[in-house]
Every structure is written in C-alpha cells, then in structure tokens.
Amino acid sequence: METNLPEAAVVTLLETSDVHGHFYPTDYRGPEDKPLGLAKLSSIIRKERAGNPSLLLLDNGDLLQGTPFMYHYAKYGGEGIHPAARALKALRYDAAVPGNHEFNYGLDLLRGAIRDSPCPWLSANIVEEESGRPAFGLPYRVFATPEGIRIAVLGVTTHYIPNWEDPAHIRGLAFEDALDAARRWVAYIRGNERPDAVVVCYHGGFERDPATGAATEPLTGENQGYEMCRTLEGVDVLLTGHQHRLLAGEVNGVAIAQPGSAGQAIAKVQLEFGKAEDGGWAIRRKTAEWLPVEESTPADREFLSLFAEDERKTQEWLDQPIGTAEGDLSIPDPFAARQADHAFTEFVNRVQMEVTDAEISCAAIFTNEARGFKERITMRDVVSNYIYPNTLKVVALTGRDIRDALERNARYFALDERTGGLRVSPSYMEPKPQHFNYDMWEGIEYELDISKPEGQRVVKLLRNGAPLDPDAVFEVAMNSYRAGGGGNFDMIQGKPVVREIPTDMTEILADYILERRVIRAACDHNWKVVY
C-alpha cells in the first residue's frame, strides 16, 4: 500500500524574547524610526511562514513591560483586550512563556492578558503556593505538524523573581527551581507523550560561556541555561532570553538560541527529520541562527493599525509639559556623569530622600541613552530617563553594609591600559550592559580609587564630615530592585525594609515636578571617582 507521507521533513521554530513592549519601531525618545520592534519582526515572520506549514512561533517572555506604550496602558486605564494578547493573536503565536517583568504591573493585569490570549502561556515552575499546580494552566504543550511530527514545548522561567518583584505582585505564587522543574517535566513528557522532539522555552539565560563553559556570573541560580544543556536528558532545543543576548549554536548536542531584546532580532531553529526504522521520526540535523531586523526591514502597517489609538494616547501623554528646569540637568555624557556627583542624579536622590524621609539614598543612570532634563520637562523626559517600573523602599543598612555596597559599585570601573583612563569593566558589559547596577549615593561623602585592588577602592567614607560608623544603622532609600539585592548586592538582600512607597518611581518624579513646576539644578559634589 503506497503512502503520500514524506520520508523527510523540516520543522521551523521562531522565537521572540524580551520584546519589552516594543511594538512600534521607536525607543520613544524621539521620532526616529529604529531597527527594532514587533511590527518589523512581523515582516520577517510573514516571510518565514510563506509556504512553511511546519512552523511554530513562540514568545519567551518579558512582553508586557518596557515601553511608555505598555506603561500608559497599564497605569492609565487602557481599554479593551491587552495589547500583548492582541499581538499574540495577530501574529498567530503558538505559545508564550511568562518572563520576570510580566509581574511588574500586578497579577490582575497579567492574568487578564493570559486570559485574552489565543495561545497558551506555558509555565512549569511557577505554581500556586497552596496547591502546587501550575499557576497559569499548562506547563507544556505538544504540537503536531502536517507530517505528523510531534514537538513538545515546555515553558520555564527564572525562579529568581522573588528577589526583585514587589511581594504584592506575586502573592500566592511559588517559584520552583527552573532546572529541577525542567528535569522533572522533561522526563514526564518523554515518558508519557512520546514526542519526536522536546523544546525547552526558558526565560533565563546562561551562567557560563556557551562556547568555553567558563563562569560568566556568580552562580546564583538566576540563569541556568548551561547546566540545562549539560544535565537535562532528552532535550533537543533550548530557547533562552532574559539576558538580551544574541546567541545561536549548540551546547552538548542541544541547539540553543537567544534573540536579543526590543525586537531587534528573531531566533530561528530548524529541525530536520527523517524516517526512523520503527516508522516514526528522528532528528537528523539541527541548525540555529538569529535573523536581525535591518534598517531596510519594513514595519507591518496592518499589525500597527491594531494599536493606533493606544499609541496616539501614549504619544499625547508623553508630550505633556510638566515643568521647567533652572540650571543644567542634562546628561551629555553618561559615563562622565558616573564619575562625579551630577545635578541629575542628585535630583533623583533628593526626591527619593524627601518622599521617603530617608537620610541616605542611592540611584543609577540606567542606560547610556539617558539624557537628563532640558529646560522644558515632559513626561517623555521622565520615562526616557527612568525606564523601569521600580517602586521605592527604605532599607536599614549598617555603615559596613554601605561600604560593601560602594565596593560593589566600584567594580563598575576598570583601568584602560591603552588610554590610561577609565572604562566600564567588561563584567558590566557582558553578557549585556548593566549600567543600572552602578549606584550613586547622596547623604554620605565618599571617594572611589580605581587604581586600588577590588575590595579596597573606598578610600573615603564620611557622613557629615565624620567617618561613617561601621556598626551604626542608617535608613537608605533605593529602588525596589536594589532593595531585593538585585545586581548581586548580597549585602542588601534580606536587610530590614523600614518602609516603602508602593508607587512607580516615574509617577513619583512626575508628581514631584508637577507640584513644584520649577526644578532647580543643584550639586553638592559629595562623591567622586579617581584613578
């Protein structure tokens, strides 16, 4: 009896990750069209879909947060189905995985987006605290291609979320170790579903260099991709994210991929199958690559039309003037602004201290795109400089804790042997830029000497002109991410939270400016970096 079934077939996996609300090809700082965003990825997806029925499109998390577009929808009464759910439907996604930033606006918004999505959100290791059941429905799903090939996709998320997130946003949830959960579920899938391939879609990254195996970060458990490739039995593909890296290749026989962030690329993995002796399918070859958005990649206008009214309201809100600046609050050179006290960071710290009534404060210039304030201050200026939905916490730290935190900050810098000056330490640039993990402090006087060995760089530490008592306890205002020890600030993690302000810092800054209307630049030059 003859059959029309093919003897070979190819299954294509496309992965987006860390889109962070970038639907439009813009960074919202200006009108320029940028090579990023889901609308441009849509053009690539359409091309890949053409004539290819054996294709799975997966999102790997951090979709709901990251742009003023998403912030405005979440905070100012966005109407109708969540934009993320609309996007998943329009682009015909097969599954999504929650990322750590999915929780930033609370569980009600997240559950609403999941409820309205046409595809499942797969989460094996985020479970209900009481029952232990997967919190968002399915841990995995098995997809069948027209050729009858069965692809199992398992979703897991970094279990480090409780170290960063507002406890109110994850109440009732438990976060199981991602590696342990993946091991348990892969064994279950292999034993019960008999798939032809197993794909782990992991919102997490690599704790070691994929090529050499050398450790690239402290082994905290935040990222476990390398260990997954090394120890999980029965996994064919590991799709990753969280670190905003561009990766494609193979580790220990497992095809790996990671597509950067903000829609700058899409990951593509192809699995070539042939007929096995038992009549089933067997993988013959795996290839992984990432497809970048080019300057010439067109934005999908049909896709963008679905969000036109939301975008119009966002842009209108961003252009609202809220105050004026007297004096210079601009940041022409972020690297220089991180080497000595600057009027803009002093402003942020002073707001944090005033709002919380704390005696000391620390804050960061989050990215090298931050430009501070010009004379006319708009909402666009606020959200362009303060890009994360952090709240404020006041933490009780000893003088010794503060010194240790400053030593951690001092690792941001390295001596440039070529120029004799300073540069950003490679550990703060790879696997992704981490300018947000360098804080500048107010309420103390200090000096960091980068010519000294790491751990001995705080050469001056005073409060009100006197040496800071290492045993005295001080109330320090900081963002909620740092208060949880985020950025490997172990000396802060677990310290008593004296009080907190459960309002986004962008709102705090905007309200502060709206109330005063005029912000005067000031700088007391309480710290500097030398070398």
Side-chain angles (χ1 to χ4, degrees), residues 72-329:
H72 185 266
Y73 180 89
K75 292 294 186 178
Y76 291 90
E79 298 176 357
I81 294 174
H82 194 285
R86 281 180 263 161
L88 293 171
K89 180 179 180 180
L91 298 182
R92 295 159 46 202
Y93 273 82
D94 293 287
V97 173
N100 54 294
H101 283 287
E102 253 66 75
F103 298 90
N104 287 169
Y105 299 126
L107 271 176
D108 287 346
L109 182 136
L110 173 55
R111 290 193 187 279
I114 292 174
R115 182 190 63 242
D116 292 335
S117 296
C119 64
W121 287 63
L122 307 177
S123 182
N125 70 310
I126 303 176
V127 300
E128 294 174 351
E129 203 165 35
E130 291 189 1
S131 68
R133 291 191 298 264
F136 304 116
L138 297 175
Y140 71 91
R141 173 164 282 189
V142 179
F143 300 91
T145 72
E147 301 89 355
I149 300 172
R150 289 166 53 79
I151 307 292
V153 179
L154 173 70
V156 288
T157 303
T158 175
H159 56 264
Y160 223 59
I161 290 172
N163 291 291
W164 309 310
E165 191 54 70
D166 184 338
H169 292 170
I170 54 175
R171 188 170 290 126
L173 300 180
F175 296 80
E176 298 178 344
D177 184 279
L179 176 60
D180 291 345
R183 182 178 292 112
R184 185 173 69 253
W185 279 104
V186 168
Y188 177 89
I189 292 166
R190 282 290 183 188
N192 292 272
E193 299 287 0
R194 303 296 179 184
D196 298 301
V198 171
V199 177
V200 175
C201 203
Y202 169 47
H203 187 83
F206 288 89
E207 72 281 27
R208 296 181 180 275
D209 186 298
T212 67
T216 54
E217 61 179 47
L219 301 180
T220 60
E222 176 182 349
N223 297 296
Q224 299 171 293
Y226 191 86
E227 195 67 9
M228 287 182 179
C229 291
R230 196 181 70 84
T231 64
L232 290 183
E233 294 184 10
V235 174
D236 300 293
V237 180
L238 179 66
L239 301 177
T240 63
H242 187 52
Q243 293 174 313
H244 300 186
R245 301 170 73 177
L246 290 166
L247 296 174
E250 194 171 293
V251 175
N252 196 34
V254 179
I256 65 162
Q258 189 174 143
S261 65
Q264 69 182 121
I266 192 166
K268 178 182 179 180
V269 175
Q270 288 194 302
L271 303 177
E272 298 180 15
F273 289 86
K275 278 294 186 179
E277 290 183 2
D278 61 2
W281 292 97
I283 297 175
R284 303 300 188 204
R285 186 167 177 260
K286 307 171 189 176
T287 59
E289 61 182 318
W290 44 269
L291 309 175
V293 170
E294 308 286 359
E295 294 286 350
S296 59
T297 304
D300 183 340
R301 296 300 164 188
E302 182 180 343
F303 174 80
L304 289 179
S305 69
L306 301 173
F307 314 100
E309 183 60 14
D310 300 276
E311 178 71 358
R312 184 193 66 78
K313 290 178 180 178
T314 300
Q315 293 290 350
E316 187 177 82
W317 170 71
L318 285 172
D319 287 330
Q320 291 177 5
I322 59 174
T324 58
E326 279 189 3
D328 189 3
L329 282 162

